[in-house]
Amino acid sequence: MIMKYLALLLLSLLPFGRLGEDLVSRDAYKGQSTYMNMYHAALLSDPDVQISFHAPLAIDKVYPAGELDSTSRAKLYPFKNELVVLKMSGQEIKDYLEASYGNWIATVTSDTSSIIIMKKMKDYKTKGYKLNFKQSPGDYDSAGGLIYTVDVTKPVGERVKIKRLANGQKFRLDYIYNVGMTSYRARGAGKMLKAAGIDPKNMEDRVVKRGPMCGELLNAFIDENGEISSKTVGNRKLVGSWKFIPAKKAQKALERDLKKIFPEQ
C-alpha cells in the first residue's frame, strides 16, 4: 500500500508540460488573450471543429509560468465539459456572438460610459456595497477560428463584424459551419443558442458529434506542443483574432471598470 502511494505521489510530481508565461484570466475581459486562446486552440485541434466558442473558466485567477505537474495541469480545465460540435449557419454564429457580448458589454455612449455591465452587491468584508459582473463570466463566450471585431459604440445586434475565417476563407452568413462548444453551453447555458434561434432541447439533427472531453483535448494539445504560451496558442491561422473597437475608447473604459470590480488591485 505504501509503495503504491509513493508511486502515485511520484507520478503526480512528474512534469506534464509547462506554461511559458503567466496566464491571467482577467485578461479575457479586455479582448483576445493567451488565456482564452488556450481553450480555443484546444477545441480547434479537433479535426471536426472549424469555429470554437468558449468562455473563461475562472473569474480572477493567475496561473504562474513554469513546469506543470498532474495537479496544476488539471486546474487549467477543472470542469467535466464534453466537446459538442454543432452545425450552425453564419447568421446563427453572428447572432450567437451578438448575444454573448450583450451579456457583458454595454454600449459606450461617451468617454465616461461604463462598458462592463455591472450590478451592485453587498460586500460582506466591508459591510457596504461593491460592483460586480451582472452576469457570470462563465457566459462571456468569444470565438476562435474567426477574424472579427466588436464595436462597443453600437447596440446589440450591430456590433459584431466577422471578416473571414482564420484560414483566410470568406465568412458567409448563408454557409453552414461546424462549431465546437462545451456541453454546458450546448445545454443552453447563457441563452446564446436561444438568441441564435436554436432550441437546445431540439437540435439533435445539428449535432456532428459529442466528445471527447474538453480537458482531454487541452491535455493532448499540451502533450503535442510541450507548453502553453502566446506562441503555441496564438497562431492566427488557427485561433484567428478579435478585438474591441474603437480600440482606445474600449480599452480605457475596460481598465476603468475593471478597477471598480477589482479595486484592491
mmCIF file with all atom_site columns, all heavy atoms in Angstrom, residues 122-135:
data_model
loop_
_atom_site.group_PDB
_atom_site.id
_atom_site.type_symbol
_atom_site.label_atom_id
_atom_site.label_alt_id
_atom_site.label_comp_id
_atom_site.label_asym_id
_atom_site.label_entity_id
_atom_site.label_seq_id
_atom_site.pdbx_PDB_ins_code
_atom_site.Cartn_x
_atom_site.Cartn_y
_atom_site.Cartn_z
_atom_site.occupancy
_atom_site.B_iso_or_equiv
_atom_site.pdbx_formal_charge
_atom_site.auth_seq_id
_atom_site.auth_comp_id
_atom_site.auth_asym_id
_atom_site.auth_atom_id
_atom_site.pdbx_PDB_model_num
ATOM 1   N N   . LYS A 1 122 ? -23.839 43.327 -2.087  1.00 0.00 ? 122 LYS A N   1
ATOM 2   C CA  . LYS A 1 122 ? -23.357 43.526 -0.720  1.00 0.00 ? 122 LYS A CA  1
ATOM 3   C C   . LYS A 1 122 ? -21.938 43.007 -0.573  1.00 0.00 ? 122 LYS A C   1
ATOM 4   O O   . LYS A 1 122 ? -21.599 41.930 -1.067  1.00 0.00 ? 122 LYS A O   1
ATOM 5   C CB  . LYS A 1 122 ? -24.279 42.829 0.274   1.00 0.00 ? 122 LYS A CB  1
ATOM 6   C CG  . LYS A 1 122 ? -24.044 43.243 1.718   1.00 0.00 ? 122 LYS A CG  1
ATOM 7   C CD  . LYS A 1 122 ? -25.172 42.763 2.617   1.00 0.00 ? 122 LYS A CD  1
ATOM 8   C CE  . LYS A 1 122 ? -24.977 43.269 4.040   1.00 0.00 ? 122 LYS A CE  1
ATOM 9   N NZ  . LYS A 1 122 ? -26.088 42.844 4.925   1.00 0.00 ? 122 LYS A NZ  1
ATOM 10  N N   . ASP A 1 123 ? -21.090 43.793 0.082   1.00 0.00 ? 123 ASP A N   1
ATOM 11  C CA  . ASP A 1 123 ? -19.716 43.407 0.366   1.00 0.00 ? 123 ASP A CA  1
ATOM 12  C C   . ASP A 1 123 ? -19.651 43.003 1.834   1.00 0.00 ? 123 ASP A C   1
ATOM 13  O O   . ASP A 1 123 ? -19.712 43.846 2.734   1.00 0.00 ? 123 ASP A O   1
ATOM 14  C CB  . ASP A 1 123 ? -18.768 44.580 0.091   1.00 0.00 ? 123 ASP A CB  1
ATOM 15  C CG  . ASP A 1 123 ? -17.312 44.179 0.190   1.00 0.00 ? 123 ASP A CG  1
ATOM 16  O OD1 . ASP A 1 123 ? -17.015 43.183 0.886   1.00 0.00 ? 123 ASP A OD1 1
ATOM 17  O OD2 . ASP A 1 123 ? -16.456 44.855 -0.410  1.00 0.00 ? 123 ASP A OD2 1
ATOM 18  N N   . TYR A 1 124 ? -19.521 41.712 2.071   1.00 0.00 ? 124 TYR A N   1
ATOM 19  C CA  . TYR A 1 124 ? -19.561 41.213 3.445   1.00 0.00 ? 124 TYR A CA  1
ATOM 20  C C   . TYR A 1 124 ? -18.282 41.535 4.223   1.00 0.00 ? 124 TYR A C   1
ATOM 21  O O   . TYR A 1 124 ? -18.282 41.491 5.456   1.00 0.00 ? 124 TYR A O   1
ATOM 22  C CB  . TYR A 1 124 ? -19.830 39.709 3.445   1.00 0.00 ? 124 TYR A CB  1
ATOM 23  C CG  . TYR A 1 124 ? -21.221 39.377 2.952   1.00 0.00 ? 124 TYR A CG  1
ATOM 24  C CD1 . TYR A 1 124 ? -21.436 39.002 1.627   1.00 0.00 ? 124 TYR A CD1 1
ATOM 25  C CD2 . TYR A 1 124 ? -22.315 39.466 3.800   1.00 0.00 ? 124 TYR A CD2 1
ATOM 26  C CE1 . TYR A 1 124 ? -22.721 38.719 1.168   1.00 0.00 ? 124 TYR A CE1 1
ATOM 27  C CE2 . TYR A 1 124 ? -23.593 39.177 3.354   1.00 0.00 ? 124 TYR A CE2 1
ATOM 28  C CZ  . TYR A 1 124 ? -23.787 38.806 2.038   1.00 0.00 ? 124 TYR A CZ  1
ATOM 29  O OH  . TYR A 1 124 ? -25.060 38.536 1.582   1.00 0.00 ? 124 TYR A OH  1
ATOM 30  N N   . LYS A 1 125 ? -17.227 41.885 3.524   1.00 0.00 ? 125 LYS A N   1
ATOM 31  C CA  . LYS A 1 125 ? -15.986 42.256 4.209   1.00 0.00 ? 125 LYS A CA  1
ATOM 32  C C   . LYS A 1 125 ? -16.077 43.657 4.802   1.00 0.00 ? 125 LYS A C   1
ATOM 33  O O   . LYS A 1 125 ? -15.650 43.903 5.922   1.00 0.00 ? 125 LYS A O   1
ATOM 34  C CB  . LYS A 1 125 ? -14.807 42.178 3.235   1.00 0.00 ? 125 LYS A CB  1
ATOM 35  C CG  . LYS A 1 125 ? -14.413 40.765 2.834   1.00 0.00 ? 125 LYS A CG  1
ATOM 36  C CD  . LYS A 1 125 ? -13.192 40.784 1.924   1.00 0.00 ? 125 LYS A CD  1
ATOM 37  C CE  . LYS A 1 125 ? -12.783 39.375 1.543   1.00 0.00 ? 125 LYS A CE  1
ATOM 38  N NZ  . LYS A 1 125 ? -11.593 39.384 0.628   1.00 0.00 ? 125 LYS A NZ  1
ATOM 39  N N   . THR A 1 126 ? -16.622 44.578 4.019   1.00 0.00 ? 126 THR A N   1
ATOM 40  C CA  . THR A 1 126 ? -16.681 45.978 4.453   1.00 0.00 ? 126 THR A CA  1
ATOM 41  C C   . THR A 1 126 ? -18.042 46.354 5.032   1.00 0.00 ? 126 THR A C   1
ATOM 42  O O   . THR A 1 126 ? -18.211 47.450 5.557   1.00 0.00 ? 126 THR A O   1
ATOM 43  C CB  . THR A 1 126 ? -16.380 46.907 3.268   1.00 0.00 ? 126 THR A CB  1
ATOM 44  O OG1 . THR A 1 126 ? -17.427 46.780 2.293   1.00 0.00 ? 126 THR A OG1 1
ATOM 45  C CG2 . THR A 1 126 ? -15.044 46.574 2.631   1.00 0.00 ? 126 THR A CG2 1
ATOM 46  N N   . LYS A 1 127 ? -19.032 45.445 4.920   1.00 0.00 ? 127 LYS A N   1
ATOM 47  C CA  . LYS A 1 127 ? -20.414 45.701 5.345   1.00 0.00 ? 127 LYS A CA  1
ATOM 48  C C   . LYS A 1 127 ? -21.102 46.748 4.468   1.00 0.00 ? 127 LYS A C   1
ATOM 49  O O   . LYS A 1 127 ? -22.191 47.214 4.786   1.00 0.00 ? 127 LYS A O   1
ATOM 50  C CB  . LYS A 1 127 ? -20.462 46.163 6.806   1.00 0.00 ? 127 LYS A CB  1
ATOM 51  C CG  . LYS A 1 127 ? -19.744 45.246 7.784   1.00 0.00 ? 127 LYS A CG  1
ATOM 52  C CD  . LYS A 1 127 ? -20.335 43.849 7.791   1.00 0.00 ? 127 LYS A CD  1
ATOM 53  C CE  . LYS A 1 127 ? -19.624 42.984 8.834   1.00 0.00 ? 127 LYS A CE  1
ATOM 54  N NZ  . LYS A 1 127 ? -20.158 41.595 8.850   1.00 0.00 ? 127 LYS A NZ  1
ATOM 55  N N   . GLY A 1 128 ? -20.431 47.090 3.358   1.00 0.00 ? 128 GLY A N   1
ATOM 56  C CA  . GLY A 1 128 ? -21.021 48.051 2.432   1.00 0.00 ? 128 GLY A CA  1
ATOM 57  C C   . GLY A 1 128 ? -21.436 47.370 1.143   1.00 0.00 ? 128 GLY A C   1
ATOM 58  O O   . GLY A 1 128 ? -21.907 46.226 1.159   1.00 0.00 ? 128 GLY A O   1
ATOM 59  N N   . TYR A 1 129 ? -21.233 48.064 0.032   1.00 0.00 ? 129 TYR A N   1
ATOM 60  C CA  . TYR A 1 129 ? -21.598 47.516 -1.267  1.00 0.00 ? 129 TYR A CA  1
ATOM 61  C C   . TYR A 1 129 ? -20.414 47.592 -2.229  1.00 0.00 ? 129 TYR A C   1
ATOM 62  O O   . TYR A 1 129 ? -19.501 48.410 -2.047  1.00 0.00 ? 129 TYR A O   1
ATOM 63  C CB  . TYR A 1 129 ? -22.795 48.265 -1.856  1.00 0.00 ? 129 TYR A CB  1
ATOM 64  C CG  . TYR A 1 129 ? -24.072 48.016 -1.090  1.00 0.00 ? 129 TYR A CG  1
ATOM 65  C CD1 . TYR A 1 129 ? -24.411 48.815 -0.004  1.00 0.00 ? 129 TYR A CD1 1
ATOM 66  C CD2 . TYR A 1 129 ? -24.918 46.976 -1.453  1.00 0.00 ? 129 TYR A CD2 1
ATOM 67  C CE1 . TYR A 1 129 ? -25.579 48.578 0.713   1.00 0.00 ? 129 TYR A CE1 1
ATOM 68  C CE2 . TYR A 1 129 ? -26.088 46.737 -0.741  1.00 0.00 ? 129 TYR A CE2 1
ATOM 69  C CZ  . TYR A 1 129 ? -26.412 47.540 0.341   1.00 0.00 ? 129 TYR A CZ  1
ATOM 70  O OH  . TYR A 1 129 ? -27.556 47.287 1.043   1.00 0.00 ? 129 TYR A OH  1
ATOM 71  N N   . LYS A 1 130 ? -20.427 46.753 -3.229  1.00 0.00 ? 130 LYS A N   1
ATOM 72  C CA  . LYS A 1 130 ? -19.386 46.755 -4.249  1.00 0.00 ? 130 LYS A CA  1
ATOM 73  C C   . LYS A 1 130 ? -20.004 46.454 -5.600  1.00 0.00 ? 130 LYS A C   1
ATOM 74  O O   . LYS A 1 130 ? -21.139 45.970 -5.693  1.00 0.00 ? 130 LYS A O   1
ATOM 75  C CB  . LYS A 1 130 ? -18.312 45.729 -3.928  1.00 0.00 ? 130 LYS A CB  1
ATOM 76  C CG  . LYS A 1 130 ? -18.805 44.281 -3.930  1.00 0.00 ? 130 LYS A CG  1
ATOM 77  C CD  . LYS A 1 130 ? -17.669 43.321 -3.615  1.00 0.00 ? 130 LYS A CD  1
ATOM 78  C CE  . LYS A 1 130 ? -18.169 41.868 -3.629  1.00 0.00 ? 130 LYS A CE  1
ATOM 79  N NZ  . LYS A 1 130 ? -17.067 40.914 -3.347  1.00 0.00 ? 130 LYS A NZ  1
ATOM 80  N N   . LEU A 1 131 ? -19.254 46.750 -6.655  1.00 0.00 ? 131 LEU A N   1
ATOM 81  C CA  . LEU A 1 131 ? -19.702 46.444 -8.009  1.00 0.00 ? 131 LEU A CA  1
ATOM 82  C C   . LEU A 1 131 ? -19.143 45.104 -8.452  1.00 0.00 ? 131 LEU A C   1
ATOM 83  O O   . LEU A 1 131 ? -18.006 44.753 -8.141  1.00 0.00 ? 131 LEU A O   1
ATOM 84  C CB  . LEU A 1 131 ? -19.255 47.551 -8.972  1.00 0.00 ? 131 LEU A CB  1
ATOM 85  C CG  . LEU A 1 131 ? -19.954 48.901 -8.803  1.00 0.00 ? 131 LEU A CG  1
ATOM 86  C CD1 . LEU A 1 131 ? -19.304 49.956 -9.687  1.00 0.00 ? 131 LEU A CD1 1
ATOM 87  C CD2 . LEU A 1 131 ? -21.448 48.794 -9.130  1.00 0.00 ? 131 LEU A CD2 1
ATOM 88  N N   . ASN A 1 132 ? -19.946 44.365 -9.191  1.00 0.00 ? 132 ASN A N   1
ATOM 89  C CA  . ASN A 1 132 ? -19.519 43.079 -9.706  1.00 0.00 ? 132 ASN A CA  1
ATOM 90  C C   . ASN A 1 132 ? -20.145 42.868 -11.077 1.00 0.00 ? 132 ASN A C   1
ATOM 91  O O   . ASN A 1 132 ? -21.012 43.622 -11.511 1.00 0.00 ? 132 ASN A O   1
ATOM 92  C CB  . ASN A 1 132 ? -19.935 41.951 -8.763  1.00 0.00 ? 132 ASN A CB  1
ATOM 93  C CG  . ASN A 1 132 ? -19.072 40.711 -8.913  1.00 0.00 ? 132 ASN A CG  1
ATOM 94  O OD1 . ASN A 1 132 ? -18.306 40.574 -9.867  1.00 0.00 ? 132 ASN A OD1 1
ATOM 95  N ND2 . ASN A 1 132 ? -19.190 39.794 -7.958  1.00 0.00 ? 132 ASN A ND2 1
ATOM 96  N N   . PHE A 1 133 ? -19.694 41.827 -11.784 1.00 0.00 ? 133 PHE A N   1
ATOM 97  C CA  . PHE A 1 133 ? -20.292 41.485 -13.070 1.00 0.00 ? 133 PHE A CA  1
ATOM 98  C C   . PHE A 1 133 ? -21.767 41.142 -12.866 1.00 0.00 ? 133 PHE A C   1
ATOM 99  O O   . PHE A 1 133 ? -22.106 40.374 -11.962 1.00 0.00 ? 133 PHE A O   1
ATOM 100 C CB  . PHE A 1 133 ? -19.580 40.289 -13.693 1.00 0.00 ? 133 PHE A CB  1
ATOM 101 C CG  . PHE A 1 133 ? -18.114 40.496 -13.941 1.00 0.00 ? 133 PHE A CG  1
ATOM 102 C CD1 . PHE A 1 133 ? -17.172 39.881 -13.131 1.00 0.00 ? 133 PHE A CD1 1
ATOM 103 C CD2 . PHE A 1 133 ? -17.681 41.298 -14.979 1.00 0.00 ? 133 PHE A CD2 1
ATOM 104 C CE1 . PHE A 1 133 ? -15.821 40.058 -13.368 1.00 0.00 ? 133 PHE A CE1 1
ATOM 105 C CE2 . PHE A 1 133 ? -16.324 41.483 -15.218 1.00 0.00 ? 133 PHE A CE2 1
ATOM 106 C CZ  . PHE A 1 133 ? -15.393 40.864 -14.403 1.00 0.00 ? 133 PHE A CZ  1
ATOM 107 N N   . LYS A 1 134 ? -22.633 41.686 -13.696 1.00 0.00 ? 134 LYS A N   1
ATOM 108 C CA  . LYS A 1 134 ? -24.059 41.389 -13.566 1.00 0.00 ? 134 LYS A CA  1
ATOM 109 C C   . LYS A 1 134 ? -24.341 39.945 -13.928 1.00 0.00 ? 134 LYS A C   1
ATOM 110 O O   . LYS A 1 134 ? -25.143 39.268 -13.293 1.00 0.00 ? 134 LYS A O   1
ATOM 111 C CB  . LYS A 1 134 ? -24.890 42.324 -14.452 1.00 0.00 ? 134 LYS A CB  1
ATOM 112 C CG  . LYS A 1 134 ? -26.386 42.137 -14.270 1.00 0.00 ? 134 LYS A CG  1
ATOM 113 C CD  . LYS A 1 134 ? -27.200 43.179 -15.037 1.00 0.00 ? 134 LYS A CD  1
ATOM 114 C CE  . LYS A 1 134 ? -28.688 42.998 -14.776 1.00 0.00 ? 134 LYS A CE  1
ATOM 115 N NZ  . LYS A 1 134 ? -29.492 44.022 -15.501 1.00 0.00 ? 134 LYS A NZ  1
ATOM 116 N N   . GLN A 1 135 ? -23.676 39.449 -14.978 1.00 0.00 ? 135 GLN A N   1
ATOM 117 C CA  . GLN A 1 135 ? -23.840 38.060 -15.387 1.00 0.00 ? 135 GLN A CA  1
ATOM 118 C C   . GLN A 1 135 ? -22.509 37.343 -15.224 1.00 0.00 ? 135 GLN A C   1
ATOM 119 O O   . GLN A 1 135 ? -21.441 37.940 -15.364 1.00 0.00 ? 135 GLN A O   1
ATOM 120 C CB  . GLN A 1 135 ? -24.299 37.971 -16.843 1.00 0.00 ? 135 GLN A CB  1
ATOM 121 C CG  . GLN A 1 135 ? -24.659 36.551 -17.287 1.00 0.00 ? 135 GLN A CG  1
ATOM 122 C CD  . GLN A 1 135 ? -25.719 36.535 -18.368 1.00 0.00 ? 135 GLN A CD  1
ATOM 123 O OE1 . GLN A 1 135 ? -26.492 37.467 -18.511 1.00 0.00 ? 135 GLN A OE1 1
ATOM 124 N NE2 . GLN A 1 135 ? -25.782 35.441 -19.117 1.00 0.00 ? 135 GLN A NE2 1
#
